[in-house]
Amino acid sequence: MAQNVDPYYAQRSDSSKHSDEGRTNPTDNNAVTKRLQKELMTLMMSQERGVSAFPEGENLFRWIGTITGPKETVYETQKYKLYLQFPNSYPYTAPFVKFITPCFHPNIDNNGNICLDILKDKWSALYDVRTILLSIQSLLAEPNIDSPLNALAAELWCKPEEYKKHVTDTYKQV
C-alpha cells in the first residue's frame, strides 16, 4: 500500500525537518511560479474595472498593483499604486502588500502599511491577487475605524469635509 510521502523527508529525522523549514524547495517554488502565472493570466483576461497588477520586471514574486478609488467616495478620482511581494509559501501565506501612492485612510499608515484582516489572520489560500486588490479597494470605501493605523484619519472620518481635504492634500499620483 503506497503512502503519499515525500521521499526527501521520509529518510530524515524530525529534527532535520525542522531545520529545513526556512529553506526553499525548488518544487514548491515552481508551484508558486505556476500559480502566479495563472493569476496574471486571469487578471489580464478579467473584465474587472479599477484593479490591475503586473510583475515588476522579470521577478514574478514582486508585483505592482493599481486600484482606482471606489465610486461615490472621496477616493473616486484617484488612482493608487501598490507593491505586492509573494513569499515562497504563497498561496498558503499571504503576500506582503503596501501602498506606494500616499493614501490618507484610517487603516493605512503613513508608510503605506495596510491593516486588513485577509492580509493577516484571515488569509486563505483561496484568495488571489484580484481578490486582494478588490478587498483593498473596498476597504477605502468602508474603513474599520475601530482598528486604525492612522488615528487622525479615523478621527476625521466622521467629518467628511475635513477628511476629504486631507485625502486631497496627501494624494500624490506616482
Side-chain angles (χ1 to χ4, degrees):
M1 179 184 219
Q3 290 184 343
N4 191 10
V5 176
D6 184 341
Y8 176 76
Y9 288 112
Q11 298 173 353
R12 304 183 67 176
S13 70
D14 280 21
S15 62
S16 64
K17 285 183 198 175
H18 292 296
S19 67
D20 276 352
E21 285 179 359
R23 294 187 188 160
T24 318
N25 183 344
T27 312
D28 293 344
N29 227 4
N30 190 28
V32 176
T33 299
K34 284 182 180 181
R35 164 80 183 239
L36 290 170
Q37 288 171 335
K38 181 181 175 192
E39 289 189 31
L40 178 59
M41 288 303 295
T42 301
L43 266 172
M44 289 171 57
M45 303 302 285
S46 172
Q47 299 297 319
E48 198 72 54
R49 293 188 176 264
V51 297
S52 66
F54 296 96
E56 182 181 52
E58 296 295 314
N59 189 343
L60 200 56
F61 286 77
R62 295 174 188 236
W63 290 29
I64 300 297
T66 305
I67 60 172
T68 56
K71 293 195 181 307
E72 300 179 18
T73 70
V74 295
Y75 302 99
E76 183 173 17
T77 61
Q78 299 175 347
K79 189 175 191 178
Y80 293 92
K81 283 190 178 182
L82 297 100
Y83 172 76
L84 296 88
Q85 183 169 343
F86 299 91
N88 291 330
S89 54
Y90 181 79
Y92 304 105
T93 305
F96 171 76
V97 184
K98 182 177 181 171
F99 272 80
I100 296 171
T101 309
C103 182
F104 184 76
H105 188 275
N107 304 117
I108 302 164
D109 71 13
N110 293 333
N111 296 317
N113 297 308
I114 306 164
C115 180
L116 182 61
D117 58 357
I118 71 157
L119 295 176
K120 306 286 187 239
D121 60 325
K122 299 290 186 197
W123 174 254
S124 167
L126 298 175
Y127 295 137
D128 60 11
V129 174
R130 184 182 150 278
T131 56
I132 292 167
L133 295 175
L134 289 172
S135 295
I136 294 170
Q137 189 180 48
S138 178
L139 180 69
L140 290 179
E142 299 173 23
N144 178 359
I145 58 173
D146 295 330
S147 179
L149 277 182
N150 184 330
L152 176 60
E155 182 184 318
L156 293 179
W157 180 255
C158 299
K159 302 172 186 172
E161 290 305 313
E162 287 182 57
Y163 188 85
K164 184 175 183 171
K165 182 176 176 2
H166 272 282
V167 169
T168 305
D169 290 349
T170 57
Y171 177 75
K172 294 178 187 113
Q173 191 166 359
V174 178

